[in-house]
């Protein structure tokens, strides 16, 4: 199987616009990200010989607690930095972003339709790191989540403590009892949970369009 291209930092818009074809070609069964080998943190990190204070957080501390809210301000700034003459963004309240090719007569309707097409319990996704250490979780139809490096650890730990709540009933039938998804895949599962919430609520909080630098605020 060919290795699919994965969105890195929205630097190349055509990569996003061709994700549908890549998913049809490359994805089968559970999420490809979940099939990657688990990371071995002990082997990949050097021994901490400095006197830096280390806080050890057990995932159980996140058990039953609410999922941390996305930082919409930072998300908006990320999208502003990648808005160009031929693409804008629509951002939903739980952090789902939809890339809108410009010109577009009705970006709100377009974004809602694209979100609805993705908001499914078994929605596939791909993950990849940016050069800044952030994580992009890409769904189909130019729909994605951006997760800042500063929040990755908390989201991973929350996902580990609440793992079974992130899988659909159909997916649970294929998962071995003691299996744990790789680190970045946990973040992808959380992003899917947020995607489903946005698919239910459909609350738009920002619209970013080229040549105007105007953001529409509030519920739509």
């Amino acid at each position: 199987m060919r290795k699919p291209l994965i969105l890195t930092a929205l630097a190349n818009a055509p990569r996003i616009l061709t994700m549908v074809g890549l998913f049809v070609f490359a994805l089968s069964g559970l999420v490809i990200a979940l099939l990657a080998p688990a990371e071995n943190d002990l082997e990949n990190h050097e021994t901490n010989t400095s006197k830096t204070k280390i806080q050890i957080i057990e995932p159980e501390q996140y058990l039953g607690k609410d999922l941390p809210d996305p930082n919409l301000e930072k998300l908006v700034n990320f999208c502003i930095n990648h808005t160009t003459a031929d693409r804008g963004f629509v951002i939903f309240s739980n952090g789902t972003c939809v890339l809108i090719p410009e010109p577009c007569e009705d970006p709100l309707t377009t974004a809602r339709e694209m979100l609805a097409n993705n908001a499914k319990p078994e929605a596939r996704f791909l993950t990849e790191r940016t050069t800044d250490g952030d994580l992009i979780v890409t769904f189909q139809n130019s729909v994605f989540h951006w997760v800042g490096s500063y929040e990755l650890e908390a989201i991973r730990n929350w996902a580990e403590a609440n793992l079974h709540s992130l899988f659909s009933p159909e997916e649970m039938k294929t998962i071995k009892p003691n299996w744990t998804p790789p680190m970045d895949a946990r973040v992808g599962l959380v992003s899917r949970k947020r995607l489903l919430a946005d698919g239910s609520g459909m609350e738009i909080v920002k619209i970013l369009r080229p040549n105007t630098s105007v953001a529409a605020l509030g519920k739509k």
Side-chain angles (χ1 to χ4, degrees), residues 137-171:
V137 182
T138 309
F139 300 90
Q140 296 185 27
N141 306 115
S142 304
V143 176
F144 69 96
H145 274 241
W146 171 85
V147 185
S149 58
Y150 64 92
E151 58 182 336
L152 286 175
E153 182 178 358
I155 290 177
R156 287 170 182 157
N157 286 329
W158 187 94
E160 183 175 347
N162 301 274
L163 190 58
H164 286 177
S165 70
L166 300 175
F167 292 109
S168 72
E170 287 301 314
E171 289 172 335

PDB file of all heavy atoms in Angstrom, residues 137-171:
ATOM      1  N   VAL A 137      -4.741  17.090  12.370  1.00  0.00           N
ATOM      2  CA  VAL A 137      -5.580  15.907  12.195  1.00  0.00           C
ATOM      3  C   VAL A 137      -6.498  16.189  11.014  1.00  0.00           C
ATOM      4  O   VAL A 137      -7.346  17.081  11.080  1.00  0.00           O
ATOM      5  CB  VAL A 137      -6.405  15.601  13.460  1.00  0.00           C
ATOM      6  CG1 VAL A 137      -7.237  14.335  13.258  1.00  0.00           C
ATOM      7  CG2 VAL A 137      -5.495  15.455  14.674  1.00  0.00           C
ATOM      8  N   THR A 138      -6.310  15.454   9.928  1.00  0.00           N
ATOM      9  CA  THR A 138      -7.024  15.725   8.686  1.00  0.00           C
ATOM     10  C   THR A 138      -8.103  14.687   8.433  1.00  0.00           C
ATOM     11  O   THR A 138      -7.838  13.487   8.465  1.00  0.00           O
ATOM     12  CB  THR A 138      -6.048  15.715   7.491  1.00  0.00           C
ATOM     13  OG1 THR A 138      -4.945  16.565   7.784  1.00  0.00           O
ATOM     14  CG2 THR A 138      -6.741  16.206   6.237  1.00  0.00           C
ATOM     15  N   PHE A 139      -9.316  15.183   8.178  1.00  0.00           N
ATOM     16  CA  PHE A 139     -10.422  14.330   7.769  1.00  0.00           C
ATOM     17  C   PHE A 139     -10.624  14.510   6.260  1.00  0.00           C
ATOM     18  O   PHE A 139      -9.766  15.060   5.586  1.00  0.00           O
ATOM     19  CB  PHE A 139     -11.683  14.685   8.558  1.00  0.00           C
ATOM     20  CG  PHE A 139     -11.524  14.524  10.049  1.00  0.00           C
ATOM     21  CD1 PHE A 139     -11.083  15.588  10.829  1.00  0.00           C
ATOM     22  CD2 PHE A 139     -11.782  13.312  10.663  1.00  0.00           C
ATOM     23  CE1 PHE A 139     -10.905  15.433  12.206  1.00  0.00           C
ATOM     24  CE2 PHE A 139     -11.612  13.153  12.031  1.00  0.00           C
ATOM     25  CZ  PHE A 139     -11.172  14.216  12.806  1.00  0.00           C
ATOM     26  N   GLN A 140     -11.743  14.064   5.730  1.00  0.00           N
ATOM     27  CA  GLN A 140     -12.007  14.235   4.313  1.00  0.00           C
ATOM     28  C   GLN A 140     -12.556  15.628   4.027  1.00  0.00           C
ATOM     29  O   GLN A 140     -12.950  16.359   4.937  1.00  0.00           O
ATOM     30  CB  GLN A 140     -13.002  13.181   3.821  1.00  0.00           C
ATOM     31  CG  GLN A 140     -12.482  11.756   3.919  1.00  0.00           C
ATOM     32  CD  GLN A 140     -13.457  10.756   3.313  1.00  0.00           C
ATOM     33  OE1 GLN A 140     -14.243  11.078   2.430  1.00  0.00           O
ATOM     34  NE2 GLN A 140     -13.416   9.528   3.799  1.00  0.00           N
ATOM     35  N   ASN A 141     -12.592  15.985   2.740  1.00  0.00           N
ATOM     36  CA  ASN A 141     -13.253  17.203   2.289  1.00  0.00           C
ATOM     37  C   ASN A 141     -12.687  18.475   2.921  1.00  0.00           C
ATOM     38  O   ASN A 141     -13.432  19.391   3.266  1.00  0.00           O
ATOM     39  CB  ASN A 141     -14.770  17.138   2.559  1.00  0.00           C
ATOM     40  CG  ASN A 141     -15.409  15.905   1.962  1.00  0.00           C
ATOM     41  OD1 ASN A 141     -15.893  15.049   2.688  1.00  0.00           O
ATOM     42  ND2 ASN A 141     -15.392  15.782   0.659  1.00  0.00           N
ATOM     43  N   SER A 142     -11.378  18.536   3.094  1.00  0.00           N
ATOM     44  CA  SER A 142     -10.721  19.756   3.587  1.00  0.00           C
ATOM     45  C   SER A 142     -11.150  20.138   5.006  1.00  0.00           C
ATOM     46  O   SER A 142     -11.161  21.308   5.366  1.00  0.00           O
ATOM     47  CB  SER A 142     -10.988  20.929   2.629  1.00  0.00           C
ATOM     48  OG  SER A 142     -10.588  20.624   1.322  1.00  0.00           O
ATOM     49  N   VAL A 143     -11.511  19.152   5.788  1.00  0.00           N
ATOM     50  CA  VAL A 143     -11.889  19.354   7.187  1.00  0.00           C
ATOM     51  C   VAL A 143     -10.733  18.879   8.062  1.00  0.00           C
ATOM     52  O   VAL A 143     -10.190  17.799   7.847  1.00  0.00           O
ATOM     53  CB  VAL A 143     -13.176  18.587   7.535  1.00  0.00           C
ATOM     54  CG1 VAL A 143     -13.519  18.727   9.010  1.00  0.00           C
ATOM     55  CG2 VAL A 143     -14.331  19.072   6.656  1.00  0.00           C
ATOM     56  N   PHE A 144     -10.344  19.701   9.051  1.00  0.00           N
ATOM     57  CA  PHE A 144      -9.189  19.330   9.859  1.00  0.00           C
ATOM     58  C   PHE A 144      -9.286  19.937  11.260  1.00  0.00           C
ATOM     59  O   PHE A 144     -10.118  20.817  11.530  1.00  0.00           O
ATOM     60  CB  PHE A 144      -7.891  19.799   9.181  1.00  0.00           C
ATOM     61  CG  PHE A 144      -7.708  21.295   9.150  1.00  0.00           C
ATOM     62  CD1 PHE A 144      -6.960  21.953  10.117  1.00  0.00           C
ATOM     63  CD2 PHE A 144      -8.280  22.056   8.136  1.00  0.00           C
ATOM     64  CE1 PHE A 144      -6.790  23.335  10.091  1.00  0.00           C
ATOM     65  CE2 PHE A 144      -8.116  23.437   8.093  1.00  0.00           C
ATOM     66  CZ  PHE A 144      -7.372  24.077   9.072  1.00  0.00           C
ATOM     67  N   HIS A 145      -8.415  19.446  12.129  1.00  0.00           N
ATOM     68  CA  HIS A 145      -8.212  20.018  13.455  1.00  0.00           C
ATOM     69  C   HIS A 145      -6.738  20.364  13.606  1.00  0.00           C
ATOM     70  O   HIS A 145      -5.864  19.589  13.191  1.00  0.00           O
ATOM     71  CB  HIS A 145      -8.620  19.039  14.559  1.00  0.00           C
ATOM     72  CG  HIS A 145     -10.067  19.089  14.906  1.00  0.00           C
ATOM     73  ND1 HIS A 145     -10.534  19.419  16.156  1.00  0.00           N
ATOM     74  CD2 HIS A 145     -11.181  18.878  14.148  1.00  0.00           C
ATOM     75  CE1 HIS A 145     -11.858  19.391  16.170  1.00  0.00           C
ATOM     76  NE2 HIS A 145     -12.271  19.060  14.952  1.00  0.00           N
ATOM     77  N   TRP A 146      -6.464  21.495  14.196  1.00  0.00           N
ATOM     78  CA  TRP A 146      -5.099  21.884  14.561  1.00  0.00           C
ATOM     79  C   TRP A 146      -4.995  21.804  16.076  1.00  0.00           C
ATOM     80  O   TRP A 146      -5.811  22.374  16.801  1.00  0.00           O
ATOM     81  CB  TRP A 146      -4.797  23.300  14.083  1.00  0.00           C
ATOM     82  CG  TRP A 146      -3.498  23.860  14.592  1.00  0.00           C
ATOM     83  CD1 TRP A 146      -2.263  23.680  14.063  1.00  0.00           C
ATOM     84  CD2 TRP A 146      -3.311  24.697  15.750  1.00  0.00           C
ATOM     85  NE1 TRP A 146      -1.315  24.352  14.803  1.00  0.00           N
ATOM     86  CE2 TRP A 146      -1.930  24.978  15.849  1.00  0.00           C
ATOM     87  CE3 TRP A 146      -4.172  25.223  16.713  1.00  0.00           C
ATOM     88  CZ2 TRP A 146      -1.396  25.772  16.870  1.00  0.00           C
ATOM     89  CZ3 TRP A 146      -3.640  26.007  17.729  1.00  0.00           C
ATOM     90  CH2 TRP A 146      -2.266  26.269  17.800  1.00  0.00           C
ATOM     91  N   VAL A 147      -3.991  21.068  16.560  1.00  0.00           N
ATOM     92  CA  VAL A 147      -3.792  20.896  17.997  1.00  0.00           C
ATOM     93  C   VAL A 147      -2.410  21.424  18.342  1.00  0.00           C
ATOM     94  O   VAL A 147      -1.396  20.922  17.847  1.00  0.00           O
ATOM     95  CB  VAL A 147      -3.925  19.416  18.409  1.00  0.00           C
ATOM     96  CG1 VAL A 147      -3.824  19.283  19.928  1.00  0.00           C
ATOM     97  CG2 VAL A 147      -5.232  18.824  17.903  1.00  0.00           C
ATOM     98  N   GLY A 148      -2.358  22.446  19.182  1.00  0.00           N
ATOM     99  CA  GLY A 148      -1.093  23.065  19.548  1.00  0.00           C
ATOM    100  C   GLY A 148      -0.229  22.147  20.394  1.00  0.00           C
ATOM    101  O   GLY A 148      -0.731  21.331  21.166  1.00  0.00           O
ATOM    102  N   SER A 149       1.076  22.286  20.253  1.00  0.00           N
ATOM    103  CA  SER A 149       2.015  21.440  20.997  1.00  0.00           C
ATOM    104  C   SER A 149       1.831  21.575  22.501  1.00  0.00           C
ATOM    105  O   SER A 149       2.063  20.624  23.253  1.00  0.00           O
ATOM    106  CB  SER A 149       3.457  21.800  20.610  1.00  0.00           C
ATOM    107  OG  SER A 149       3.713  23.174  20.858  1.00  0.00           O
ATOM    108  N   TYR A 150       1.389  22.754  22.939  1.00  0.00           N
ATOM    109  CA  TYR A 150       1.232  23.019  24.371  1.00  0.00           C
ATOM    110  C   TYR A 150       0.111  22.188  25.011  1.00  0.00           C
ATOM    111  O   TYR A 150       0.082  22.001  26.236  1.00  0.00           O
ATOM    112  CB  TYR A 150       0.945  24.512  24.591  1.00  0.00           C
ATOM    113  CG  TYR A 150      -0.356  24.953  23.975  1.00  0.00           C
ATOM    114  CD1 TYR A 150      -1.537  24.942  24.699  1.00  0.00           C
ATOM    115  CD2 TYR A 150      -0.414  25.356  22.644  1.00  0.00           C
ATOM    116  CE1 TYR A 150      -2.739  25.316  24.131  1.00  0.00           C
ATOM    117  CE2 TYR A 150      -1.599  25.734  22.065  1.00  0.00           C
ATOM    118  CZ  TYR A 150      -2.751  25.715  22.809  1.00  0.00           C
ATOM    119  OH  TYR A 150      -3.938  26.081  22.224  1.00  0.00           O
ATOM    120  N   GLU A 151      -0.821  21.670  24.212  1.00  0.00           N
ATOM    121  CA  GLU A 151      -1.959  20.932  24.768  1.00  0.00           C
ATOM    122  C   GLU A 151      -1.936  19.445  24.448  1.00  0.00           C
ATOM    123  O   GLU A 151      -2.826  18.698  24.853  1.00  0.00           O
ATOM    124  CB  GLU A 151      -3.267  21.530  24.255  1.00  0.00           C
ATOM    125  CG  GLU A 151      -3.401  21.532  22.746  1.00  0.00           C
ATOM    126  CD  GLU A 151      -4.698  22.169  22.264  1.00  0.00           C
ATOM    127  OE1 GLU A 151      -5.677  22.204  23.042  1.00  0.00           O
ATOM    128  OE2 GLU A 151      -4.734  22.646  21.120  1.00  0.00           O
ATOM    129  N   LEU A 152      -0.907  18.989  23.748  1.00  0.00           N
ATOM    130  CA  LEU A 152      -0.870  17.595  23.315  1.00  0.00           C
ATOM    131  C   LEU A 152      -0.841  16.625  24.488  1.00  0.00           C
ATOM    132  O   LEU A 152      -1.552  15.616  24.491  1.00  0.00           O
ATOM    133  CB  LEU A 152       0.342  17.361  22.413  1.00  0.00           C
ATOM    134  CG  LEU A 152       0.244  17.927  20.996  1.00  0.00           C
ATOM    135  CD1 LEU A 152       1.557  17.735  20.252  1.00  0.00           C
ATOM    136  CD2 LEU A 152      -0.897  17.265  20.232  1.00  0.00           C
ATOM    137  N   GLU A 153      -0.023  16.894  25.493  1.00  0.00           N
ATOM    138  CA  GLU A 153       0.114  15.945  26.604  1.00  0.00           C
ATOM    139  C   GLU A 153      -1.196  15.775  27.360  1.00  0.00           C
ATOM    140  O   GLU A 153      -1.601  14.649  27.676  1.00  0.00           O
ATOM    141  CB  GLU A 153       1.216  16.399  27.562  1.00  0.00           C
ATOM    142  CG  GLU A 153       1.439  15.418  28.710  1.00  0.00           C
ATOM    143  CD  GLU A 153       2.572  15.837  29.641  1.00  0.00           C
ATOM    144  OE1 GLU A 153       3.203  16.876  29.376  1.00  0.00           O
ATOM    145  OE2 GLU A 153       2.811  15.123  30.625  1.00  0.00           O
ATOM    146  N   ALA A 154      -1.878  16.882  27.634  1.00  0.00           N
ATOM    147  CA  ALA A 154      -3.143  16.798  28.370  1.00  0.00           C
ATOM    148  C   ALA A 154      -4.193  16.023  27.577  1.00  0.00           C
ATOM    149  O   ALA A 154      -4.940  15.214  28.133  1.00  0.00           O
ATOM    150  CB  ALA A 154      -3.650  18.198  28.697  1.00  0.00           C
ATOM    151  N   ILE A 155      -4.228  16.239  26.276  1.00  0.00           N
ATOM    152  CA  ILE A 155      -5.212  15.546  25.443  1.00  0.00           C
ATOM    153  C   ILE A 155      -4.899  14.061  25.358  1.00  0.00           C
ATOM    154  O   ILE A 155      -5.794  13.210  25.429  1.00  0.00           O
ATOM    155  CB  ILE A 155      -5.257  16.186  24.041  1.00  0.00           C
ATOM    156  CG1 ILE A 155      -5.877  17.580  24.139  1.00  0.00           C
ATOM    157  CG2 ILE A 155      -6.060  15.318  23.073  1.00  0.00           C
ATOM    158  CD1 ILE A 155      -5.913  18.323  22.832  1.00  0.00           C
ATOM    159  N   ARG A 156      -3.623  13.719  25.209  1.00  0.00           N
ATOM    160  CA  ARG A 156      -3.245  12.296  25.165  1.00  0.00           C
ATOM    161  C   ARG A 156      -3.637  11.595  26.457  1.00  0.00           C
ATOM    162  O   ARG A 156      -4.166  10.481  26.445  1.00  0.00           O
ATOM    163  CB  ARG A 156      -1.748  12.168  24.941  1.00  0.00           C
ATOM    164  CG  ARG A 156      -1.286  12.500  23.531  1.00  0.00           C
ATOM    165  CD  ARG A 156       0.204  12.572  23.520  1.00  0.00           C
ATOM    166  NE  ARG A 156       0.757  12.920  22.225  1.00  0.00           N
ATOM    167  CZ  ARG A 156       1.942  13.467  22.042  1.00  0.00           C
ATOM    168  NH1 ARG A 156       2.712  13.746  23.085  1.00  0.00           N
ATOM    169  NH2 ARG A 156       2.388  13.739  20.832  1.00  0.00           N
ATOM    170  N   ASN A 157      -3.344  12.233  27.582  1.00  0.00           N
ATOM    171  CA  ASN A 157      -3.658  11.616  28.870  1.00  0.00           C
ATOM    172  C   ASN A 157      -5.165  11.477  29.061  1.00  0.00           C
ATOM    173  O   ASN A 157      -5.644  10.465  29.586  1.00  0.00           O
ATOM    174  CB  ASN A 157      -3.040  12.425  30.006  1.00  0.00           C
ATOM    175  CG  ASN A 157      -1.539  12.248  30.103  1.00  0.00           C
ATOM    176  OD1 ASN A 157      -1.012  11.187  29.770  1.00  0.00           O
ATOM    177  ND2 ASN A 157      -0.836  13.269  30.537  1.00  0.00           N
ATOM    178  N   TRP A 158      -5.910  12.486  28.645  1.00  0.00           N
ATOM    179  CA  TRP A 158      -7.368  12.389  28.734  1.00  0.00           C
ATOM    180  C   TRP A 158      -7.863  11.233  27.868  1.00  0.00           C
ATOM    181  O   TRP A 158      -8.726  10.452  28.279  1.00  0.00           O
ATOM    182  CB  TRP A 158      -8.021  13.691  28.294  1.00  0.00           C
ATOM    183  CG  TRP A 158      -9.499  13.717  28.526  1.00  0.00           C
ATOM    184  CD1 TRP A 158     -10.152  14.212  29.620  1.00  0.00           C
ATOM    185  CD2 TRP A 158     -10.506  13.175  27.660  1.00  0.00           C
ATOM    186  NE1 TRP A 158     -11.512  14.019  29.487  1.00  0.00           N
ATOM    187  CE2 TRP A 158     -11.755  13.385  28.292  1.00  0.00           C
ATOM    188  CE3 TRP A 158     -10.477  12.545  26.416  1.00  0.00           C
ATOM    189  CZ2 TRP A 158     -12.958  12.994  27.723  1.00  0.00           C
ATOM    190  CZ3 TRP A 158     -11.682  12.138  25.837  1.00  0.00           C
ATOM    191  CH2 TRP A 158     -12.908  12.371  26.490  1.00  0.00           C
ATOM    192  N   ALA A 159      -7.299  11.120  26.672  1.00  0.00           N
ATOM    193  CA  ALA A 159      -7.714  10.054  25.766  1.00  0.00           C
ATOM    194  C   ALA A 159      -7.407   8.680  26.340  1.00  0.00           C
ATOM    195  O   ALA A 159      -8.215   7.747  26.222  1.00  0.00           O
ATOM    196  CB  ALA A 159      -7.022  10.228  24.409  1.00  0.00           C
ATOM    197  N   GLU A 160      -6.253   8.521  26.966  1.00  0.00           N
ATOM    198  CA  GLU A 160      -5.890   7.224  27.536  1.00  0.00           C
ATOM    199  C   GLU A 160      -6.839   6.834  28.662  1.00  0.00           C
ATOM    200  O   GLU A 160      -7.226   5.665  28.791  1.00  0.00           O
ATOM    201  CB  GLU A 160      -4.454   7.248  28.046  1.00  0.00           C
ATOM    202  CG  GLU A 160      -3.987   5.902  28.592  1.00  0.00           C
ATOM    203  CD  GLU A 160      -2.525   5.915  28.993  1.00  0.00           C
ATOM    204  OE1 GLU A 160      -1.808   6.859  28.629  1.00  0.00           O
ATOM    205  OE2 GLU A 160      -2.099   4.965  29.675  1.00  0.00           O
ATOM    206  N   ALA A 161      -7.222   7.824  29.471  1.00  0.00           N
ATOM    207  CA  ALA A 161      -8.097   7.538  30.602  1.00  0.00           C
ATOM    208  C   ALA A 161      -9.539   7.283  30.167  1.00  0.00           C
ATOM    209  O   ALA A 161     -10.297   6.604  30.864  1.00  0.00           O
ATOM    210  CB  ALA A 161      -8.056   8.694  31.601  1.00  0.00           C
ATOM    211  N   ASN A 162      -9.920   7.818  29.020  1.00  0.00           N
ATOM    212  CA  ASN A 162     -11.306   7.707  28.557  1.00  0.00           C
ATOM    213  C   ASN A 162     -11.376   7.048  27.180  1.00  0.00           C
ATOM    214  O   ASN A 162     -12.248   7.355  26.374  1.00  0.00           O
ATOM    215  CB  ASN A 162     -11.943   9.101  28.492  1.00  0.00           C
ATOM    216  CG  ASN A 162     -11.944   9.808  29.838  1.00  0.00           C
ATOM    217  OD1 ASN A 162     -12.838   9.636  30.646  1.00  0.00           O
ATOM    218  ND2 ASN A 162     -10.927  10.624  30.079  1.00  0.00           N
ATOM    219  N   LEU A 163     -10.477   6.107  26.945  1.00  0.00           N
ATOM    220  CA  LEU A 163     -10.267   5.574  25.601  1.00  0.00           C
ATOM    221  C   LEU A 163     -11.519   4.956  24.992  1.00  0.00           C
ATOM    222  O   LEU A 163     -11.858   5.221  23.836  1.00  0.00           O
ATOM    223  CB  LEU A 163      -9.136   4.544  25.622  1.00  0.00           C
ATOM    224  CG  LEU A 163      -8.621   4.062  24.268  1.00  0.00           C
ATOM    225  CD1 LEU A 163      -8.114   5.230  23.440  1.00  0.00           C
ATOM    226  CD2 LEU A 163      -7.525   3.018  24.454  1.00  0.00           C
ATOM    227  N   HIS A 164     -12.231   4.154  25.751  1.00  0.00           N
ATOM    228  CA  HIS A 164     -13.372   3.442  25.182  1.00  0.00           C
ATOM    229  C   HIS A 164     -14.485   4.385  24.733  1.00  0.00           C
ATOM    230  O   HIS A 164     -15.289   4.029  23.869  1.00  0.00           O
ATOM    231  CB  HIS A 164     -13.919   2.428  26.184  1.00  0.00           C
ATOM    232  CG  HIS A 164     -13.032   1.225  26.325  1.00  0.00           C
ATOM    233  ND1 HIS A 164     -13.286   0.202  27.203  1.00  0.00           N
ATOM    234  CD2 HIS A 164     -11.872   0.887  25.704  1.00  0.00           C
ATOM    235  CE1 HIS A 164     -12.343  -0.718  27.117  1.00  0.00           C
ATOM    236  NE2 HIS A 164     -11.468  -0.316  26.213  1.00  0.00           N
ATOM    237  N   SER A 165     -14.522   5.581  25.291  1.00  0.00           N
ATOM    238  CA  SER A 165     -15.548   6.548  24.889  1.00  0.00           C
ATOM    239  C   SER A 165     -15.249   7.159  23.526  1.00  0.00           C
ATOM    240  O   SER A 165     -16.098   7.854  22.961  1.00  0.00           O
ATOM    241  CB  SER A 165     -15.660   7.664  25.934  1.00  0.00           C
ATOM    242  OG  SER A 165     -14.504   8.492  25.921  1.00  0.00           O
ATOM    243  N   LEU A 166     -14.056   6.894  22.992  1.00  0.00           N
ATOM    244  CA  LEU A 166     -13.645   7.504  21.727  1.00  0.00           C
ATOM    245  C   LEU A 166     -13.867   6.605  20.517  1.00  0.00           C
ATOM    246  O   LEU A 166     -13.689   7.039  19.383  1.00  0.00           O
ATOM    247  CB  LEU A 166     -12.161   7.908  21.800  1.00  0.00           C
ATOM    248  CG  LEU A 166     -11.805   8.916  22.888  1.00  0.00           C
ATOM    249  CD1 LEU A 166     -10.302   9.133  22.936  1.00  0.00           C
ATOM    250  CD2 LEU A 166     -12.519  10.240  22.644  1.00  0.00           C
ATOM    251  N   PHE A 167     -14.251   5.347  20.760  1.00  0.00           N
ATOM    252  CA  PHE A 167     -14.480   4.413  19.668  1.00  0.00           C
ATOM    253  C   PHE A 167     -15.974   4.172  19.469  1.00  0.00           C
ATOM    254  O   PHE A 167     -16.750   4.194  20.432  1.00  0.00           O
ATOM    255  CB  PHE A 167     -13.801   3.074  19.947  1.00  0.00           C
ATOM    256  CG  PHE A 167     -12.304   3.137  19.922  1.00  0.00           C
ATOM    257  CD1 PHE A 167     -11.575   3.031  21.096  1.00  0.00           C
ATOM    258  CD2 PHE A 167     -11.627   3.311  18.728  1.00  0.00           C
ATOM    259  CE1 PHE A 167     -10.192   3.086  21.082  1.00  0.00           C
ATOM    260  CE2 PHE A 167     -10.242   3.371  18.700  1.00  0.00           C
ATOM    261  CZ  PHE A 167      -9.524   3.259  19.886  1.00  0.00           C
ATOM    262  N   SER A 168     -16.348   3.942  18.234  1.00  0.00           N
ATOM    263  CA  SER A 168     -17.733   3.596  17.942  1.00  0.00           C
ATOM    264  C   SER A 168     -17.970   2.135  18.329  1.00  0.00           C
ATOM    265  O   SER A 168     -17.021   1.356  18.477  1.00  0.00           O
ATOM    266  CB  SER A 168     -18.012   3.781  16.444  1.00  0.00           C
ATOM    267  OG  SER A 168     -17.360   2.766  15.697  1.00  0.00           O
ATOM    268  N   PRO A 169     -19.232   1.727  18.490  1.00  0.00           N
ATOM    269  CA  PRO A 169     -19.515   0.319  18.803  1.00  0.00           C
ATOM    270  C   PRO A 169     -18.942  -0.643  17.765  1.00  0.00           C
ATOM    271  O   PRO A 169     -18.450  -1.732  18.124  1.00  0.00           O
ATOM    272  CB  PRO A 169     -21.048   0.277  18.813  1.00  0.00           C
ATOM    273  CG  PRO A 169     -21.455   1.661  19.204  1.00  0.00           C
ATOM    274  CD  PRO A 169     -20.443   2.556  18.555  1.00  0.00           C
ATOM    275  N   GLU A 170     -18.978  -0.266  16.500  1.00  0.00           N
ATOM    276  CA  GLU A 170     -18.434  -1.134  15.454  1.00  0.00           C
ATOM    277  C   GLU A 170     -16.921  -1.272  15.593  1.00  0.00           C
ATOM    278  O   GLU A 170     -16.365  -2.352  15.401  1.00  0.00           O
ATOM    279  CB  GLU A 170     -18.789  -0.579  14.070  1.00  0.00           C
ATOM    280  CG  GLU A 170     -20.248  -0.749  13.695  1.00  0.00           C
ATOM    281  CD  GLU A 170     -20.663  -2.215  13.687  1.00  0.00           C
ATOM    282  OE1 GLU A 170     -19.915  -3.039  13.128  1.00  0.00           O
ATOM    283  OE2 GLU A 170     -21.730  -2.527  14.243  1.00  0.00           O
ATOM    284  N   GLU A 171     -16.242  -0.193  15.926  1.00  0.00           N
ATOM    285  CA  GLU A 171     -14.794  -0.244  16.097  1.00  0.00           C
ATOM    286  C   GLU A 171     -14.409  -1.076  17.311  1.00  0.00           C
ATOM    287  O   GLU A 171     -13.400  -1.790  17.287  1.00  0.00           O
ATOM    288  CB  GLU A 171     -14.233   1.173  16.222  1.00  0.00           C
ATOM    289  CG  GLU A 171     -14.264   1.955  14.915  1.00  0.00           C
ATOM    290  CD  GLU A 171     -13.889   3.411  15.087  1.00  0.00           C
ATOM    291  OE1 GLU A 171     -14.066   3.941  16.199  1.00  0.00           O
ATOM    292  OE2 GLU A 171     -13.433   4.025  14.109  1.00  0.00           O
TER     293      GLU A 171
END
